[in-house]
Amino acid sequence: NIISGQQQLSLSQNTISRRGLFYLAVTAATACSALGPKIALASDTQSNVDAKSPFIAFANNFVQDNELDSSFSESRDNPLDDIDWGGPKKRGLTIEQMADAVNDGLIEQGWFVTGRGKPELFSDNFVFADPQVSLAGYEEYCRAVRRLFDQGTARCELVCCSVTGPNTIKLLWRNSGKVDLGALRVDLKPYTVTTTLETDPGDDNLAVSQVDEFESDPLGLLLYQLPFLRFLTGPPAPSLNQLKQQCDFYTCKLR
């Protein structure tokens, strides 16, 4: 038997209602189809979002049910309101200087999960895309990211940031923590994300696009919500130090 008698007893003592399990399954499936700052992007009603998946479209409605309840507390204490989103840009940086600025900013502020971005590095024409959603606007992206990730647990651990082309910066980072989906909080098994930033020579080399790539595991994410079944999901992403040991820092690819 995969589940021991002790585990069965523990399960019986902590019975999950049919309705609770249904919502867990739906939200886990939704989250895994996005896995990263994607559901938040779909839930941002003020953003120009194109949801490319029915799961993401569903998440949009699901998270909005909790939007009104959280908007008041969010507006009272949101560090993103202190950012000058329309302030002056850092124009004319070389691609190497831009990579250094992105590297230092992510280590300090981790905006991939905190939303505490650096708009001075990003074009007003910024767009975000991945296989699930596309989004226009850097401030919109940052605010959506902050709404998704639980700020007490979410971590963006930067492994690598390297120039890989004339206008291309490649990043590899480790994502972990929890995400908030309406009234539910979902644990993420730590995983890696490859991010590609493109700069625009016609806009003084400001970053104009971001594409995130990652592996999605719907069943694994669902099982990960039940601690006694986590062993079935395989190992999480290695630690930051281990990833750095495995990384080719010229390409930001793992060896």
Short mmCIF file of all heavy atoms in Angstrom, two decimals, residues 30-91:
data_model
loop_
_atom_site.label_atom_id
_atom_site.label_comp_id
_atom_site.label_asym_id
_atom_site.label_seq_id
_atom_site.Cartn_x
_atom_site.Cartn_y
_atom_site.Cartn_z
N THR A 30 -5.50 25.02 -11.98
CA THR A 30 -5.37 26.36 -12.53
C THR A 30 -3.98 26.91 -12.29
O THR A 30 -3.34 27.45 -13.20
CB THR A 30 -6.41 27.29 -11.86
OG1 THR A 30 -7.70 26.76 -12.06
CG2 THR A 30 -6.33 28.69 -12.45
N ALA A 31 -3.50 26.76 -11.06
CA ALA A 31 -2.18 27.30 -10.73
C ALA A 31 -1.09 26.64 -11.53
O ALA A 31 -0.17 27.29 -12.01
CB ALA A 31 -1.91 27.14 -9.22
N CYS A 32 -1.18 25.31 -11.68
CA CYS A 32 -0.11 24.63 -12.37
C CYS A 32 -0.07 25.01 -13.84
O CYS A 32 0.98 24.95 -14.46
CB CYS A 32 -0.26 23.12 -12.24
SG CYS A 32 -1.65 22.50 -13.14
N SER A 33 -1.19 25.38 -14.40
CA SER A 33 -1.17 25.78 -15.80
C SER A 33 -0.53 27.16 -15.95
O SER A 33 -0.23 27.58 -17.04
CB SER A 33 -2.57 25.79 -16.38
OG SER A 33 -3.35 26.78 -15.76
N ALA A 34 -0.33 27.83 -14.82
CA ALA A 34 0.34 29.13 -14.87
C ALA A 34 1.68 29.07 -14.19
O ALA A 34 2.67 29.56 -14.70
CB ALA A 34 -0.53 30.17 -14.18
N LEU A 35 1.73 28.49 -12.99
CA LEU A 35 2.96 28.31 -12.22
C LEU A 35 3.92 29.48 -12.32
O LEU A 35 4.93 29.43 -12.98
CB LEU A 35 3.69 27.04 -12.65
CG LEU A 35 3.40 25.82 -11.78
CD1 LEU A 35 4.31 24.70 -12.13
CD2 LEU A 35 3.46 26.14 -10.32
N GLY A 36 3.67 30.50 -11.60
CA GLY A 36 4.51 31.67 -11.64
C GLY A 36 3.60 32.87 -11.60
O GLY A 36 2.45 32.77 -11.22
N PRO A 37 4.08 34.05 -11.97
CA PRO A 37 3.22 35.23 -11.90
C PRO A 37 2.28 35.29 -13.07
O PRO A 37 2.27 36.23 -13.84
CB PRO A 37 4.23 36.37 -11.93
CG PRO A 37 5.38 35.82 -12.69
CD PRO A 37 5.44 34.37 -12.34
N LYS A 38 1.45 34.27 -13.23
CA LYS A 38 0.60 34.18 -14.40
C LYS A 38 -0.87 34.31 -14.03
O LYS A 38 -1.60 35.02 -14.69
CB LYS A 38 0.78 32.83 -15.11
CG LYS A 38 2.21 32.34 -15.26
CD LYS A 38 3.20 33.37 -15.65
CE LYS A 38 4.55 32.74 -15.90
NZ LYS A 38 5.59 33.27 -15.08
N ILE A 39 -1.32 33.61 -12.97
CA ILE A 39 -2.71 33.73 -12.57
C ILE A 39 -2.99 35.17 -12.15
O ILE A 39 -4.03 35.71 -12.45
CB ILE A 39 -3.02 32.77 -11.42
CG1 ILE A 39 -2.83 31.34 -11.89
CG2 ILE A 39 -4.43 32.97 -10.93
CD1 ILE A 39 -2.97 30.34 -10.80
N ALA A 40 -2.03 35.78 -11.47
CA ALA A 40 -2.23 37.16 -11.06
C ALA A 40 -2.43 38.05 -12.26
O ALA A 40 -3.25 38.97 -12.24
CB ALA A 40 -1.02 37.64 -10.27
N LEU A 41 -1.70 37.79 -13.31
CA LEU A 41 -1.85 38.61 -14.50
C LEU A 41 -3.24 38.45 -15.06
O LEU A 41 -3.87 39.41 -15.50
CB LEU A 41 -0.81 38.19 -15.55
CG LEU A 41 0.64 38.27 -15.08
CD1 LEU A 41 1.57 37.92 -16.23
CD2 LEU A 41 0.96 39.65 -14.54
N ALA A 42 -3.76 37.22 -15.04
CA ALA A 42 -5.11 37.00 -15.55
C ALA A 42 -6.16 37.60 -14.64
O ALA A 42 -7.27 37.90 -15.07
CB ALA A 42 -5.37 35.51 -15.70
N SER A 43 -5.83 37.79 -13.35
CA SER A 43 -6.82 38.30 -12.41
C SER A 43 -6.83 39.81 -12.34
O SER A 43 -7.65 40.38 -11.64
CB SER A 43 -6.54 37.74 -11.01
OG SER A 43 -5.37 38.31 -10.48
N ASP A 44 -5.93 40.46 -13.04
CA ASP A 44 -5.86 41.91 -12.97
C ASP A 44 -6.89 42.51 -13.91
O ASP A 44 -6.69 42.57 -15.11
CB ASP A 44 -4.45 42.37 -13.36
CG ASP A 44 -4.26 43.86 -13.20
OD1 ASP A 44 -5.23 44.53 -12.80
OD2 ASP A 44 -3.16 44.35 -13.49
N THR A 45 -7.98 42.99 -13.37
CA THR A 45 -9.07 43.47 -14.21
C THR A 45 -8.73 44.77 -14.89
O THR A 45 -9.43 45.17 -15.82
CB THR A 45 -10.34 43.66 -13.35
OG1 THR A 45 -10.05 44.58 -12.29
CG2 THR A 45 -10.80 42.35 -12.76
N GLN A 46 -7.68 45.47 -14.47
CA GLN A 46 -7.34 46.74 -15.08
C GLN A 46 -6.21 46.58 -16.09
O GLN A 46 -5.76 47.55 -16.66
CB GLN A 46 -6.92 47.75 -13.99
CG GLN A 46 -8.06 48.07 -13.03
CD GLN A 46 -7.62 49.05 -11.95
OE1 GLN A 46 -6.44 49.27 -11.74
NE2 GLN A 46 -8.59 49.64 -11.28
N SER A 47 -5.74 45.38 -16.31
CA SER A 47 -4.63 45.16 -17.22
C SER A 47 -5.12 44.71 -18.58
O SER A 47 -6.20 44.14 -18.71
CB SER A 47 -3.68 44.10 -16.65
OG SER A 47 -3.15 44.53 -15.43
N ASN A 48 -4.29 44.95 -19.57
CA ASN A 48 -4.59 44.48 -20.92
C ASN A 48 -4.06 43.06 -21.04
O ASN A 48 -2.96 42.83 -21.51
CB ASN A 48 -3.94 45.40 -21.95
CG ASN A 48 -4.25 44.99 -23.36
OD1 ASN A 48 -5.20 44.24 -23.61
ND2 ASN A 48 -3.44 45.45 -24.30
N VAL A 49 -4.86 42.10 -20.56
CA VAL A 49 -4.42 40.72 -20.46
C VAL A 49 -5.11 39.87 -21.51
O VAL A 49 -6.32 39.96 -21.70
CB VAL A 49 -4.71 40.14 -19.06
CG1 VAL A 49 -4.32 38.67 -18.99
CG2 VAL A 49 -3.97 40.92 -18.01
N ASP A 50 -4.34 39.03 -22.16
CA ASP A 50 -4.89 38.04 -23.08
C ASP A 50 -4.66 36.67 -22.48
O ASP A 50 -3.53 36.19 -22.42
CB ASP A 50 -4.18 38.16 -24.44
CG ASP A 50 -4.62 37.07 -25.41
OD1 ASP A 50 -5.72 36.53 -25.22
OD2 ASP A 50 -3.85 36.77 -26.35
N ALA A 51 -5.74 36.06 -21.95
CA ALA A 51 -5.63 34.72 -21.37
C ALA A 51 -5.69 33.69 -22.49
O ALA A 51 -6.64 33.64 -23.25
CB ALA A 51 -6.75 34.49 -20.36
N LYS A 52 -4.66 32.86 -22.57
CA LYS A 52 -4.56 31.89 -23.66
C LYS A 52 -4.99 30.50 -23.24
O LYS A 52 -4.88 29.55 -24.01
CB LYS A 52 -3.11 31.85 -24.17
CG LYS A 52 -2.59 33.20 -24.61
CD LYS A 52 -1.13 33.11 -25.00
CE LYS A 52 -0.58 34.49 -25.36
NZ LYS A 52 0.85 34.43 -25.71
N SER A 53 -5.47 30.34 -22.01
CA SER A 53 -5.85 29.03 -21.49
C SER A 53 -7.20 29.14 -20.80
O SER A 53 -7.47 30.10 -20.09
CB SER A 53 -4.80 28.53 -20.49
OG SER A 53 -5.31 27.50 -19.69
N PRO A 54 -8.08 28.14 -20.94
CA PRO A 54 -9.35 28.17 -20.21
C PRO A 54 -9.16 28.12 -18.70
O PRO A 54 -9.95 28.66 -17.95
CB PRO A 54 -10.08 26.92 -20.72
CG PRO A 54 -9.01 26.05 -21.31
CD PRO A 54 -7.98 26.98 -21.84
N PHE A 55 -8.08 27.47 -18.25
CA PHE A 55 -7.79 27.47 -16.81
C PHE A 55 -7.52 28.89 -16.32
O PHE A 55 -7.97 29.30 -15.26
CB PHE A 55 -6.58 26.58 -16.52
CG PHE A 55 -6.91 25.12 -16.51
CD1 PHE A 55 -6.18 24.23 -17.30
CD2 PHE A 55 -7.93 24.61 -15.74
CE1 PHE A 55 -6.47 22.88 -17.30
CE2 PHE A 55 -8.23 23.26 -15.73
CZ PHE A 55 -7.50 22.39 -16.52
N ILE A 56 -6.76 29.66 -17.11
CA ILE A 56 -6.44 31.02 -16.72
C ILE A 56 -7.69 31.88 -16.74
O ILE A 56 -7.92 32.70 -15.87
CB ILE A 56 -5.37 31.60 -17.66
CG1 ILE A 56 -4.07 30.81 -17.53
CG2 ILE A 56 -5.11 33.05 -17.32
CD1 ILE A 56 -3.48 30.81 -16.15
N ALA A 57 -8.54 31.69 -17.73
CA ALA A 57 -9.79 32.44 -17.79
C ALA A 57 -10.64 32.13 -16.56
O ALA A 57 -11.27 33.02 -15.98
CB ALA A 57 -10.55 32.09 -19.06
N PHE A 58 -10.66 30.85 -16.14
CA PHE A 58 -11.40 30.48 -14.93
C PHE A 58 -10.79 31.15 -13.70
O PHE A 58 -11.49 31.67 -12.84
CB PHE A 58 -11.40 28.97 -14.76
CG PHE A 58 -12.07 28.53 -13.48
CD1 PHE A 58 -13.45 28.38 -13.41
CD2 PHE A 58 -11.32 28.26 -12.35
CE1 PHE A 58 -14.07 27.98 -12.24
CE2 PHE A 58 -11.94 27.86 -11.17
CZ PHE A 58 -13.31 27.72 -11.12
N ALA A 59 -9.46 31.13 -13.62
CA ALA A 59 -8.77 31.74 -12.48
C ALA A 59 -9.11 33.22 -12.37
O ALA A 59 -9.23 33.76 -11.28
CB ALA A 59 -7.27 31.55 -12.61
N ASN A 60 -9.26 33.86 -13.51
CA ASN A 60 -9.62 35.27 -13.52
C ASN A 60 -10.89 35.50 -12.71
O ASN A 60 -10.92 36.33 -11.80
CB ASN A 60 -9.83 35.72 -14.97
CG ASN A 60 -10.14 37.20 -15.08
OD1 ASN A 60 -9.81 37.97 -14.19
ND2 ASN A 60 -10.77 37.59 -16.17
N ASN A 61 -11.94 34.73 -12.98
CA ASN A 61 -13.19 34.88 -12.25
C ASN A 61 -13.06 34.45 -10.80
O ASN A 61 -13.60 35.07 -9.90
CB ASN A 61 -14.29 34.06 -12.92
CG ASN A 61 -14.58 34.54 -14.33
OD1 ASN A 61 -14.52 35.73 -14.59
ND2 ASN A 61 -14.89 33.62 -15.22
N PHE A 62 -12.29 33.38 -10.57
CA PHE A 62 -12.16 32.83 -9.22
C PHE A 62 -11.48 33.83 -8.29
O PHE A 62 -11.91 34.07 -7.18
CB PHE A 62 -11.35 31.54 -9.28
CG PHE A 62 -11.26 30.84 -7.95
CD1 PHE A 62 -12.31 30.09 -7.47
CD2 PHE A 62 -10.11 30.96 -7.18
CE1 PHE A 62 -12.22 29.45 -6.25
CE2 PHE A 62 -10.02 30.32 -5.96
CZ PHE A 62 -11.07 29.57 -5.49
N VAL A 63 -10.38 34.43 -8.77
CA VAL A 63 -9.64 35.36 -7.93
C VAL A 63 -10.40 36.66 -7.75
O VAL A 63 -10.36 37.26 -6.68
CB VAL A 63 -8.24 35.63 -8.53
CG1 VAL A 63 -7.48 36.64 -7.68
CG2 VAL A 63 -7.44 34.33 -8.61
N GLN A 64 -11.15 37.08 -8.76
CA GLN A 64 -11.88 38.33 -8.64
C GLN A 64 -12.92 38.27 -7.53
O GLN A 64 -13.28 39.29 -6.96
CB GLN A 64 -12.58 38.66 -9.96
CG GLN A 64 -11.63 39.19 -11.03
CD GLN A 64 -12.36 39.50 -12.31
OE1 GLN A 64 -13.50 39.94 -12.29
NE2 GLN A 64 -11.70 39.26 -13.42
N ASP A 65 -13.41 37.07 -7.18
CA ASP A 65 -14.37 36.95 -6.09
C ASP A 65 -13.79 37.48 -4.79
O ASP A 65 -14.52 37.94 -3.91
CB ASP A 65 -14.78 35.49 -5.89
CG ASP A 65 -15.66 34.99 -7.04
OD1 ASP A 65 -16.23 35.84 -7.75
OD2 ASP A 65 -15.76 33.76 -7.21
N ASN A 66 -12.46 37.40 -4.65
CA ASN A 66 -11.81 37.85 -3.44
C ASN A 66 -11.19 39.23 -3.60
O ASN A 66 -10.63 39.77 -2.67
CB ASN A 66 -10.71 36.86 -3.04
CG ASN A 66 -10.26 37.02 -1.60
OD1 ASN A 66 -11.08 37.06 -0.70
ND2 ASN A 66 -8.96 37.13 -1.40
N GLU A 67 -11.31 39.80 -4.80
CA GLU A 67 -10.64 41.06 -5.09
C GLU A 67 -11.16 42.19 -4.22
O GLU A 67 -10.40 42.98 -3.68
CB GLU A 67 -10.84 41.40 -6.57
CG GLU A 67 -10.03 42.59 -7.04
CD GLU A 67 -8.70 42.16 -7.62
OE1 GLU A 67 -8.44 40.96 -7.71
OE2 GLU A 67 -7.93 43.06 -7.96
N LEU A 68 -12.49 42.30 -4.08
CA LEU A 68 -13.05 43.40 -3.32
C LEU A 68 -12.69 43.32 -1.85
O LEU A 68 -12.47 44.32 -1.20
CB LEU A 68 -14.58 43.42 -3.49
CG LEU A 68 -15.08 43.73 -4.91
CD1 LEU A 68 -16.60 43.65 -4.94
CD2 LEU A 68 -14.60 45.10 -5.37
N ASP A 69 -12.62 42.07 -1.32
CA ASP A 69 -12.31 41.90 0.09
C ASP A 69 -10.90 42.34 0.42
O ASP A 69 -10.63 42.81 1.52
CB ASP A 69 -12.49 40.44 0.50
CG ASP A 69 -13.94 39.99 0.39
OD1 ASP A 69 -14.83 40.88 0.46
OD2 ASP A 69 -14.17 38.78 0.23
N SER A 70 -9.97 42.16 -0.54
CA SER A 70 -8.57 42.43 -0.25
C SER A 70 -8.12 43.81 -0.71
O SER A 70 -7.06 44.28 -0.30
CB SER A 70 -7.68 41.38 -0.93
OG SER A 70 -7.85 41.43 -2.33
N SER A 71 -8.91 44.48 -1.53
CA SER A 71 -8.46 45.74 -2.11
C SER A 71 -8.26 46.82 -1.07
O SER A 71 -7.34 47.63 -1.16
CB SER A 71 -9.45 46.21 -3.18
OG SER A 71 -10.73 46.41 -2.61
N PHE A 72 -9.14 46.83 -0.04
CA PHE A 72 -9.03 47.89 0.96
C PHE A 72 -7.75 47.76 1.78
O PHE A 72 -7.00 48.70 1.94
CB PHE A 72 -10.24 47.87 1.89
CG PHE A 72 -10.17 48.90 2.99
CD1 PHE A 72 -10.29 50.25 2.70
CD2 PHE A 72 -9.97 48.51 4.30
CE1 PHE A 72 -10.21 51.20 3.71
CE2 PHE A 72 -9.89 49.45 5.31
CZ PHE A 72 -10.02 50.80 5.02
N SER A 73 -7.49 46.52 2.28
CA SER A 73 -6.29 46.32 3.09
C SER A 73 -5.03 46.51 2.26
O SER A 73 -4.02 47.01 2.74
CB SER A 73 -6.30 44.92 3.71
OG SER A 73 -6.34 43.93 2.72
N GLU A 74 -5.11 46.15 0.96
CA GLU A 74 -3.94 46.31 0.10
C GLU A 74 -3.63 47.78 -0.10
O GLU A 74 -2.48 48.19 -0.09
CB GLU A 74 -4.22 45.64 -1.25
CG GLU A 74 -3.08 45.81 -2.25
CD GLU A 74 -3.42 45.23 -3.61
OE1 GLU A 74 -4.39 44.46 -3.70
OE2 GLU A 74 -2.73 45.57 -4.58
N SER A 75 -4.69 48.62 -0.28
CA SER A 75 -4.47 50.03 -0.56
C SER A 75 -3.92 50.76 0.65
O SER A 75 -3.28 51.80 0.52
CB SER A 75 -5.78 50.67 -1.02
OG SER A 75 -6.75 50.62 0.03
N ARG A 76 -4.16 50.24 1.87
CA ARG A 76 -3.69 50.91 3.06
C ARG A 76 -2.19 50.78 3.23
O ARG A 76 -1.55 51.66 3.78
CB ARG A 76 -4.39 50.32 4.30
CG ARG A 76 -5.84 50.74 4.44
CD ARG A 76 -6.39 50.25 5.75
NE ARG A 76 -6.27 48.81 5.89
CZ ARG A 76 -6.54 48.14 7.00
NH1 ARG A 76 -6.94 48.80 8.08
NH2 ARG A 76 -6.43 46.83 7.04
N ASP A 77 -1.60 49.69 2.78
CA ASP A 77 -0.19 49.44 3.04
C ASP A 77 0.41 48.69 1.87
O ASP A 77 0.66 47.50 1.95
CB ASP A 77 -0.04 48.65 4.35
CG ASP A 77 1.43 48.47 4.73
OD1 ASP A 77 2.26 49.26 4.25
OD2 ASP A 77 1.74 47.53 5.50
N ASN A 78 0.63 49.39 0.78
CA ASN A 78 1.19 48.78 -0.42
C ASN A 78 2.44 49.54 -0.82
O ASN A 78 2.36 50.69 -1.29
CB ASN A 78 0.16 48.79 -1.54
CG ASN A 78 0.62 47.97 -2.75
OD1 ASN A 78 1.79 47.63 -2.87
ND2 ASN A 78 -0.31 47.66 -3.63
N PRO A 79 3.62 48.93 -0.66
CA PRO A 79 4.87 49.64 -1.00
C PRO A 79 4.96 50.02 -2.46
O PRO A 79 5.73 50.91 -2.83
CB PRO A 79 5.96 48.64 -0.61
CG PRO A 79 5.29 47.30 -0.60
CD PRO A 79 3.88 47.57 -0.18
N LEU A 80 4.16 49.39 -3.31
CA LEU A 80 4.19 49.73 -4.74
C LEU A 80 3.64 51.14 -4.98
O LEU A 80 3.96 51.76 -5.99
CB LEU A 80 3.41 48.71 -5.56
CG LEU A 80 4.19 47.48 -6.04
CD1 LEU A 80 4.75 46.69 -4.86
CD2 LEU A 80 3.32 46.58 -6.89
N ASP A 81 2.83 51.64 -4.04
CA ASP A 81 2.30 52.99 -4.19
C ASP A 81 3.37 54.05 -3.99
O ASP A 81 3.18 55.21 -4.36
CB ASP A 81 1.16 53.23 -3.19
CG ASP A 81 -0.07 52.38 -3.51
OD1 ASP A 81 -0.22 51.96 -4.68
OD2 ASP A 81 -0.87 52.11 -2.59
N ASP A 82 4.50 53.66 -3.40
CA ASP A 82 5.59 54.61 -3.18
C ASP A 82 6.56 54.69 -4.36
O ASP A 82 7.49 55.50 -4.35
CB ASP A 82 6.37 54.22 -1.92
CG ASP A 82 5.51 54.30 -0.66
OD1 ASP A 82 4.61 55.16 -0.63
OD2 ASP A 82 5.73 53.49 0.26
N ILE A 83 6.36 53.83 -5.35
CA ILE A 83 7.24 53.81 -6.52
C ILE A 83 6.78 54.86 -7.53
O ILE A 83 5.58 54.98 -7.80
CB ILE A 83 7.25 52.42 -7.17
CG1 ILE A 83 7.83 51.38 -6.19
CG2 ILE A 83 8.05 52.41 -8.46
CD1 ILE A 83 7.77 49.95 -6.71
N ASP A 84 7.73 55.61 -8.07
CA ASP A 84 7.42 56.62 -9.09
C ASP A 84 7.37 55.94 -10.45
O ASP A 84 8.36 55.90 -11.18
CB ASP A 84 8.47 57.72 -9.06
CG ASP A 84 8.12 58.87 -10.01
OD1 ASP A 84 7.04 58.82 -10.63
OD2 ASP A 84 8.94 59.81 -10.14
N TRP A 85 6.21 55.40 -10.80
CA TRP A 85 6.08 54.63 -12.03
C TRP A 85 6.25 55.48 -13.28
O TRP A 85 6.63 54.98 -14.33
CB TRP A 85 4.71 53.92 -12.06
CG TRP A 85 4.55 52.94 -10.94
CD1 TRP A 85 3.85 53.12 -9.79
CD2 TRP A 85 5.12 51.63 -10.86
NE1 TRP A 85 3.95 52.01 -8.99
CE2 TRP A 85 4.71 51.07 -9.63
CE3 TRP A 85 5.93 50.88 -11.71
CZ2 TRP A 85 5.09 49.79 -9.22
CZ3 TRP A 85 6.29 49.60 -11.32
CH2 TRP A 85 5.89 49.07 -10.08
N GLY A 86 5.99 56.77 -13.16
CA GLY A 86 6.13 57.66 -14.32
C GLY A 86 7.37 58.51 -14.27
O GLY A 86 7.47 59.50 -15.01
N GLY A 87 8.33 58.13 -13.43
CA GLY A 87 9.54 58.92 -13.26
C GLY A 87 10.49 58.81 -14.43
O GLY A 87 10.25 58.09 -15.40
N PRO A 88 11.63 59.51 -14.35
CA PRO A 88 12.62 59.50 -15.44
C PRO A 88 13.23 58.13 -15.63
O PRO A 88 13.37 57.35 -14.68
CB PRO A 88 13.66 60.53 -14.98
CG PRO A 88 13.49 60.61 -13.49
CD PRO A 88 12.04 60.37 -13.23
N LYS A 89 13.61 57.84 -16.87
CA LYS A 89 14.21 56.56 -17.23
C LYS A 89 15.74 56.65 -17.21
O LYS A 89 16.31 57.72 -17.37
CB LYS A 89 13.75 56.13 -18.63
CG LYS A 89 12.24 56.07 -18.83
CD LYS A 89 11.61 54.95 -18.02
CE LYS A 89 10.12 54.81 -18.35
NZ LYS A 89 9.48 53.73 -17.58
N LYS A 90 16.36 55.49 -17.01
CA LYS A 90 17.82 55.39 -17.14
C LYS A 90 18.13 55.03 -18.59
O LYS A 90 18.21 53.86 -18.95
CB LYS A 90 18.38 54.33 -16.18
CG LYS A 90 18.40 54.77 -14.74
CD LYS A 90 19.20 53.79 -13.88
CE LYS A 90 19.32 54.29 -12.45
NZ LYS A 90 20.08 53.34 -11.59
N ARG A 91 18.28 56.05 -19.40
CA ARG A 91 18.42 55.84 -20.83
C ARG A 91 19.89 55.73 -21.24
O ARG A 91 20.78 56.26 -20.58
CB ARG A 91 17.76 56.99 -21.60
CG ARG A 91 16.26 57.08 -21.34
CD ARG A 91 15.59 58.14 -22.19
NE ARG A 91 14.14 58.17 -21.97
CZ ARG A 91 13.30 57.36 -22.59
NH1 ARG A 91 13.74 56.49 -23.47
NH2 ARG A 91 11.99 57.43 -22.34
#
